């Protein structure tokens, strides 16, 4: 990275083993505790602390309990709106998914680089988002076939499809269904990666233009900095929206599995 | 792009730690804690809606009691009005009856009195006739010296009285 002022906007996504665990492995597979794993643990711990604060179970809630109940209520209404009353049993999963992704996105945006740390957003890695997408998709498949058996395939034949159209519609619907885990995982990965790259590129502008001279620094540098402030705010919004989209699409897919059409 | 460049050496660690952390999140937080939080919120919602229902029922009861009171009020008013009308009618009838009885008594008294007056005047007339007849006989006897019969004198007096 630090080659004569060169700033690599991709370096932030680099995974490196921490605490000398680089060769930790199970059955031949490397399971090094990396900076990515550290942020996963951090997201889980922060979420645990957040929810523990809401466990006071008071009739008249305090602020913290109110916040936690607001989040669970938000997920509950999301599921009821998309799946109906039967969606309530997915509250634990969708809540975990939404909060885990949300905290991962937000923790990755913390300006810890100022303290010399390496902030990391594991949702900008499709190895992570892909797993979450596959879990969501597996739940859809398992619930779908569990509840409806082979009738689940009627999902690929929309209501009122004329008989001669079925051989054409069925593969199209099947493909669009099979693409879901990819779109689910890639959307989050791309949104996070793009936002962080943009911020790093602009930060690079600020540094490089300032190094090039005071005139460049005041014009290009300050303009980029102002833009960065706006985009940072936008990234916070994107962090929330992408977590919401992931949870929303998961609940929409669960609706397919629960209620077919 | 490290996501792709490092995939071969990091995918297993990414998957392992993600499953571990997300598993913790799902099983401990999602399944263990979220239902309790949600249960608290649901219990509160239930209590609030229960209290609201109770308040609504109390309102309905109050309305009912008021309506009941109003009907009873109206009923007793009507009853009193009827009683008043009845009493008025009774009193009117009673006074009418008493008046009629008094009228009848007065009328009978007047009849008796009139009859007595008639009898008295008849008796007086009789006496006048007798006196006039005696006087006429006296006058006839003195003027003509004829002793007129009592009957003739009486007839003459009657005729004279009738002529007025």
């Amino acid at each position: 990275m630090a080659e004569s002022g060169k700033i690599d906007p991709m370096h932030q996504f680099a995974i490196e083993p921490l605490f000398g665990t680089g060769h930790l492995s199970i059955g031949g597979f490397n399971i090094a505790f990396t900076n990515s794993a550290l942020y996963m643990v951090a997201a889980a711990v922060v979420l645990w602390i957040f929810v523990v604060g809401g466990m006071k179970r008071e009739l008249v809630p305090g602020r913290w309990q109110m916040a936690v109940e607001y989040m669970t209520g938000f997920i509950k209404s999301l599921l009821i709106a998309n799946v109906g009353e039967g969606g309530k049993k997915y509250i634990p999963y969708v809540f975990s998914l939404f909060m885990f992704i949300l905290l991962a996105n937000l923790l990755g945006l913390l300006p810890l680089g100022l303290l010399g740390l390496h902030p990391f957003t594991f949702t900008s890695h499709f190895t992570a988002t892909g797993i979450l997408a596959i879990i969501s998709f597996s739940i859809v498949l398992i619930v779908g076939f569990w509840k409806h058996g082979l009738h689940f395939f009627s999902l690929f034949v929309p209501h009122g499809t004329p008989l001669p159209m079925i051989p054409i519609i069925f593969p199209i619907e099947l493909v669009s269904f099979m693409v879901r885990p990819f779109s689910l995982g890639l959307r989050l990965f791309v949104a996070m990666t793009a936002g962080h790259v943009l911020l790093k590129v602009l930060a690079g502008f600020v540094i490089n233009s300032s190094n090039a001279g005071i005139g460049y620094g005041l014009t290009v540098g300050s303009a980029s900095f102002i833009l960065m402030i706006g985009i940072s705010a936008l990234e916070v919004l994107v962090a929330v929206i992408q977590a919401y989209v992931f949870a929303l699409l998961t609940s929409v897919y669960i609706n397919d599995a629960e209620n077919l059409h | 792009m490290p996501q792709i460049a490092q995939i071969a050496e990091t995918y297993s660690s990414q998957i392992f730690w993600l499953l571990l952390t997300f598993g913790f999140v799902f099983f401990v937080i999602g399944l263990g804690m979220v239902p309790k939080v949600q249960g608290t919120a649901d219990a509160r919602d239930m209590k609030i809606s229960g209290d609201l229902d109770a308040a609504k029922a109390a309102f309905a009861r109050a309305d009912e009691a008021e309506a009941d009171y109003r009907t009873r009020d109206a009923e007793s008013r009507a009853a009193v009005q009827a009683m008043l009308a009845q009493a008025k009618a009774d009193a009117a009838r009673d006074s009418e009856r008493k008046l009629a009885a008094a009228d009848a008594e007065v009328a009978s008294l007047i009849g008796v009195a009139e009859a007595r007056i008639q009898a008295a005047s008849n008796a007086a007339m009789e006496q006048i006739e007798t006196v006039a007849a005696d006087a006429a006989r006296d006058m006839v006897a003195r003027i003509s010296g004829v002793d007129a019969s009592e009957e003739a004198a009486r007839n003459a007096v009657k005729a004279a009285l009738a002529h007025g």
Side-chain angles (χ1 to χ4, degrees), chain A residues 153-171:
Chain A
F153 283 107
S154 74
L155 186 65
F156 307 130
V157 184
H159 264 300
T161 311
L163 202 61
M165 292 292 283
I166 287 178
I168 307 165
I169 294 287
F170 189 88

Side-chain angles (χ1 to χ4, degrees), chain A residues 15 48 94 100 105 119 122 146 155 158 171 179 197 231 236 242 258:
Chain A
I15 294 176
W48 182 74
V94 178
F100 192 55
N105 293 352
F122 68 82
W146 187 276
L155 186 65
V179 158
V197 168
I231 290 176
V236 176
Q242 287 301 324
E258 273 277 315

Side-chain angles (χ1 to χ4, degrees), chain B residues 60-143:
Chain B
R61 268 207 310 281
D63 282 351
E64 212 168 279
E66 201 193 329
D68 198 40
Y69 159 75
R70 278 181 198 286
T71 47
R72 258 189 314 180
D73 188 51
E75 263 166 26
S76 45
R77 264 171 209 281
V80 168
Q81 295 280 356
M83 243 149 73
L84 216 61
Q86 178 70 34
K88 261 185 192 163
D90 278 359
R93 206 154 13 159
D94 203 36
S95 64
E96 214 170 287
R97 204 177 54 237
K98 273 185 188 156
L99 220 59
D103 271 355
E105 204 177 337
V106 168
S108 75
L109 279 176
I110 288 171
V112 168
E114 273 177 350
R116 236 182 19 234
I117 289 166
Q118 192 63 47
S121 93
N122 283 353
M125 218 52 168
E126 200 84 358
Q127 266 177 329
I128 286 168
E129 263 177 36
T130 315
V131 171
D134 283 353
R137 271 173 70 195
D138 245 7
M139 279 185 334
V140 168
R142 258 189 228 163
I143 292 162

Side-chain angles (χ1 to χ4, degrees), chain A residues 4-43:
Chain A
S4 66
K6 268 270 180 69
I7 291 162
D8 177 12
M10 286 301 173
H11 174 70
Q12 57 175 324
F13 302 118
I15 294 176
E16 51 218 20
L18 298 176
F19 317 124
T21 56
H23 296 291
L24 208 63
S25 66
I26 288 181
F29 291 104
N30 181 292
I31 54 158
F33 189 81
T34 60
N35 50 351
S36 176
L38 179 67
Y39 270 85
M40 292 172 190
V41 171

Side-chain angles (χ1 to χ4, degrees), chain A residues 10 15 29-33 36-37 40 52 57-59 69 72 76 92 95-96 100 124 127-128 131 193, chain B residues 2-3 6-7 11-18 21-22 25-26 29-30 33-34 36-38 40 42 44:
Chain A
M10 286 301 173
I15 294 176
F29 291 104
N30 181 292
I31 54 158
F33 189 81
S36 176
M40 292 172 190
V52 160
R57 318 201 66 176
E58 283 165 5
L59 184 62
E69 283 174 6
T72 60
K76 181 186 167 194
F95 178 83
S96 306
F100 192 55
S124 65
T127 38
I131 297 298
T193 304
Chain B
Q3 286 98 325
Q6 289 186 307
I7 189 162
Y11 79 96
S12 52
S13 134
Q14 286 279 81
I15 293 169
F16 174 78
W17 287 105
L18 185 80
T21 50
F22 189 67
V25 167
F26 177 63
I29 298 173
M33 295 155 83
V34 168
K36 285 178 189 153
V37 172
Q38 192 57 46
T40 311
D42 286 346
R44 182 184 313 117

Side-chain angles (χ1 to χ4, degrees), chain A residues 167-180:
Chain A
I168 307 165
I169 294 287
F170 189 88
I172 293 174
E173 289 282 328
L174 183 64
V175 167
S176 88
F177 183 77
M178 297 310 288
V179 158
R180 281 173 180 184

